[in-house]
Each structure stands twice: as structure tokens, then as C-alpha cells.
Amino acid sequence: MSIKFASVFSRSRFTDSDSWSEALYHGGALPGDDFDLSHVTGYYGAMLRAVYEEPPDHMSSYDYEQVYQEQRPDIFIRKLPDRRRFVRAPTAEMTPSPASTFVTAEQFAEHYEAAAFAFNWELHCETAVTLWWSALGAHGAPEAQKLFSAFTKDLNDWLFRRCIPTAYFFSHENSSRIGLHTHLAVHLSLPKIGRRSVRDDFRRWAMGWPERNGLGLRKRAIRVTGPAKDTPWLHWYRFHYQVKGHDPGAVVRQAGNSEHGRAVMLSDLIAYRWQDPGVVAMRPRIGHALNLGPARRTIGIPAGFDEPRNATRRRTSTQKSQLFGAFLTQSQLVPPPSQPPVRSPYVSRYRDGWRDVGWLYPDEFSMRVTKLSRLPAAARPAPAPLPDDFMSEPEIS
């Protein structure tokens, strides 16, 4: 019986294909003997293909996507995988009838602003809630709107009682398969290490909401999915899923203002393939919690970060009356000083004009979509030394 030793270049020894490709490049591995050139990825995979002059398989759509993605790392040529059948986005000649309720470029900008604001303060909305309105007994948009308002009101109270900052964003859709439904992503303050019961408590609360509100036992009406611990990249996964029903003809940068000479479409900045959202009568089409809205972004911080949310509630009635009396006395004797805001308003990168997915989204997420590694940073050359007589006194003639 012969023993077969594992190669030092075996793919199973590495955590991902990019680190494997880097080891192949620096280790002097040979294609055909040590690895298959069509399986390498990232920056070092491109270097290996350039060295051995092996073009990609032109019969493979995967290789085409990878080549185009390497040429345009600023947009999403590749898209996240989806279980549903691919449907081509309509053009000007293929407009659906009746016209679907697309996410416009302006709505996308506002939705991105809210999601980026939450992510900036580590309010990762990685827990997804899907509400199926016909299964909840709503026979139209007005009834669904009323139920959704009741659900978000109870959600705000559930988060407040647990001292969790309120952060969530949502999107309404109307598919041909299940009809009107809502996708909601919510922040639950999941632990970074280990596991707490907050995720399981929320699932029980959400799935038991219909029965507590007199709607009966409806097991399939509300679905809750999400991790047990903090997973930041899922925040953007939920965001892109909610905006997949965008306007396929929306332009976010004209060709004359693009360094590549091509217009940047809204679809180029979204990591999911386009899907028809249907006719949605619920308003707003997409939205978010007030804590992520323009009022909080203007002062630069969400509510619940200046002091613990339960600090006021823990005070006794006597303490509250003393604080109120002290406030009245001070306001009558000393006028409140006019002070500038402590923090500057929050402005997202999209509002500042960025149209590069490498800057709009964190590396952990964009690299999962594009399958590209960040290029190694080039060493900055040291500045030339100044001459000795640079600071000498000028001669006066």
C-alpha cells in the first residue's frame, strides 16, 4: 500500500482562494503540475495568468465575468448568488405593464445614507424579518399598512425595554409568488464573541406577534433569520437585498464625468441581480427608523449613545422632580448659552459623490461579491532631503 502525501500547494491548506493564489505565486508553483490555472483568483491569480499566458476559457460565463470584474473593480459586474431564476432587467422597449414601483436613484441615496449612518455607529442590522401580509389577513395595501405600523410600534417598544438603540430599515415588495410582503433588517446588539439569548428572544417575540394581536396562530406569516453573533457584512447583504427592485435605467454618473468613459448605472452599485418588485402601494416604498433619519444625521449621532437609554427610567419620582425643579430654576435665572453642535452632521460617501463600490461598502463585503483582493499598497517614496543651506539667512546686498 503506497502512501500519497498532500502537496504543499493543496487548496485545502488555505482559508480562501486569494491566499492560496498568493502562495502559488510566491512559491514558484507550476500550472498543470501543482494547480489548475483556471481556479486562481484575485490579484495574484491575475499575475499568474499573465506570467503563463493562459487566457480564460471563452466558453465560460464565469471567466467572462471575472475578466470584466478585474477591468472594472469600481462596480459590481459579479452579483451575489440567488436561488431564483434569472430575469433580465427591462429596457426602454421592455417596460413592464403596469409599471412596477421601482426604487429610484433618490430613494437609493436616502436608503444608503441611513444604512451607512447605522454602520458608522456599529448598529449592524444583520437580523432579517419577512412579513407576508396576505398570510397575516391583510387583503390590500391599506390593511397591510396599518398592520406594519402596529408591528413597528411594538418593535420600537421591544427594543426600548431592552435598552437596544433603535435601528432598522425596510422595503416593501409585491411578488407574483406571495404577493405583498416586507423585508425588514433590524439591529439587536448581538455579541461579538459567544452567544446570548437576544436573537432567540426576538424570534419568539416576532413570530408570536400575530397571536398576541388577535390575528390567530399564523406560523408562516413572519419569518426571522439571522446570526447568533455580530456579523457586520450581513448588514450590507440585507441592504442590497432590499434594493434589488431598483430602476434599471437610472444613471448615477454620466459617461462624460466617468474616468472609464461609460455611464455608471444604479445597477452597477447594487450587488443583487435585478428583480421585478411589482406594483407596491404601501408608502414609503423603502424606509428606515427615525433614529437613522435626517434629524439624527444632522446632529451626527443616533439616539441612545449619549447616555444609557434606561438611565432616566431608573431614577425615582423624587429624583425626577428634583431634576425638573433644578432645570426650571436654572432656566429662569440664567439664559441657556448658545453653543455650536458638538458633532458635525453625518454625510455619507454617496452624498459626497463617490460611485466606487470599493469605497461605498467595506472590504469584507465588496470582496465577497467581486472575488477580488485589494491591491497591495505601494510603498510611498521617502521625500528628498532638504539642502543644508535651505534655512540659511538670505544675503542682503
Side-chain angles (χ1 to χ4, degrees):
M1 180 178 178
S2 61
I3 300 176
K4 184 178 181 180
F5 294 96
S7 171
V8 293
F9 299 115
S10 175
R11 173 64 179 83
S12 60
R13 294 175 177 266
F14 301 89
T15 57
D16 53 47
S17 58
D18 288 355
S19 58
W20 175 60
S21 302
E22 182 178 358
L24 294 174
Y25 179 81
H26 292 296
L30 297 176
D33 297 333
D34 300 313
F35 67 99
D36 189 344
L37 197 59
S38 62
H39 293 166
V40 293
T41 61
Y43 172 76
Y44 291 102
M47 295 291 290
L48 286 169
R49 283 194 292 269
V51 169
Y52 294 105
E53 298 179 350
E54 181 77 12
D57 182 9
H58 293 283
M59 300 301 294
S60 170
S61 59
Y62 177 88
D63 287 331
Y64 273 116
E65 275 191 344
Q66 193 66 21
V67 169
Y68 294 149
Q69 184 66 80
E70 291 174 3
Q71 294 175 353
R72 293 294 306 275
D74 59 314
I75 63 176
F76 287 133
I77 298 293
R78 298 176 59 87
K79 302 292 184 180
L80 288 170
D82 196 355
R83 293 176 296 177
R84 298 180 181 177
R85 183 175 61 87
F86 171 71
V87 178
R88 187 175 297 278
T91 61
E93 298 79 14
M94 300 169 54
T95 304
S97 179
S100 300
T101 311
F102 296 139
V103 174
T104 65
E106 293 76 15
Q107 290 173 332
F108 172 84
E110 174 65 20
H111 210 52
Y112 174 84
E113 190 100 356
F117 184 54
F119 193 84
N120 180 70
W121 287 97
E122 296 187 358
L123 298 176
H124 305 142
C125 302
E126 53 280 82
T127 303
V129 183
T130 305
L131 300 109
W132 183 7
W133 297 118
S134 61
L136 284 168
H139 301 291
E143 295 182 21
Q145 191 87 50
K146 185 181 296 185
L147 286 177
F148 182 64
S149 298
F151 181 83
T152 53
K153 180 179 180 297
D154 292 345
L155 172 62
N156 291 336
D157 183 66
W158 190 89
L159 295 172
F160 183 83
R161 285 187 284 107
R162 285 158 180 78
C163 305
I164 300 176
T166 306
Y168 57 81
F169 46 86
F170 59 86
S171 173
H172 304 302
E173 295 180 351
N174 191 1
S175 69
S176 58
R177 187 170 61 92
I178 64 173
L180 196 62
H181 61 282
T182 298
H183 298 289
L184 184 143
V186 61
H187 169 72
L188 295 181
S189 293
L190 299 176
K192 296 183 181 297
I193 301 176
R195 178 172 178 170
R196 289 202 301 265
S197 62
V198 60
R199 193 265 312 258
D200 299 332
D201 293 343
F202 177 76
R203 178 184 282 114
R204 285 190 292 269
W205 173 86
M207 299 183 71
W209 183 85
E211 191 172 7
R212 292 193 306 273
N213 286 269
L215 301 176
L217 185 62
R218 301 176 183 266
K219 295 183 178 180
R220 300 179 57 194
I222 298 179
R223 181 184 179 188
V224 180
T225 57
K229 62 181 182 180
D230 186 43
T231 311
W233 69 269
L234 271 178
H235 175 93
W236 294 108
Y237 185 95
R238 310 301 185 196
F239 168 81
H240 284 272
Y241 193 80
Q242 292 185 10
V243 296
K244 64 184 182 298
H246 56 275
D247 182 0
V251 179
V252 296
R253 173 166 289 172
Q254 299 296 330
N257 299 326
S258 176
E259 61 178 337
H260 297 277
R262 299 178 183 177
V264 179
M265 310 296 292
L266 180 58
S267 302
D268 296 333
L269 305 182
I270 297 177
Y272 260 100
R273 298 192 185 276
W274 179 89
Q275 289 186 18
D276 189 357
V279 180
V280 182
M282 298 178 68
R283 295 292 181 270
R285 164 72 172 80
I286 57 177
H288 45 74
L290 292 177
N291 201 20
L292 305 179
R296 299 304 308 187
R297 298 199 298 265
T298 300
I299 62 177
I301 186 171
F305 276 81
D306 288 326
E307 68 171 316
R309 299 189 63 172
N310 59 349
T312 304
R313 303 182 72 186
R314 287 178 179 174
R315 298 189 182 109
T316 64
S317 58
T318 304
Q319 291 173 332
K320 291 179 181 178
S321 62
Q322 292 174 353
L323 289 172
F324 185 67
F327 170 75
L328 287 178
T329 304
Q330 184 179 7
S331 62
Q332 292 172 358
L333 299 178
V334 181
S338 57
Q339 298 179 351
V342 178
R343 296 176 178 84
S344 58
Y346 176 80
V347 179
S348 68
R349 289 178 174 178
Y350 187 89
R351 292 286 188 190
D352 254 356
W354 288 94
R355 299 296 184 267
D356 188 327
V357 298
W359 283 92
L360 293 176
Y361 311 110
D363 292 345
E364 186 180 7
F365 176 80
S366 59
M367 288 168 58
R368 284 176 177 269
V369 184
T370 62
K371 306 299 182 184
L372 298 178
S373 298
R374 282 290 188 183
L375 295 178
R380 180 177 296 179
L386 296 175
D388 296 337
D389 58 348
F390 180 75
M391 298 298 294
S392 62
E393 295 291 335
E395 295 183 2
I396 302 177
S397 58

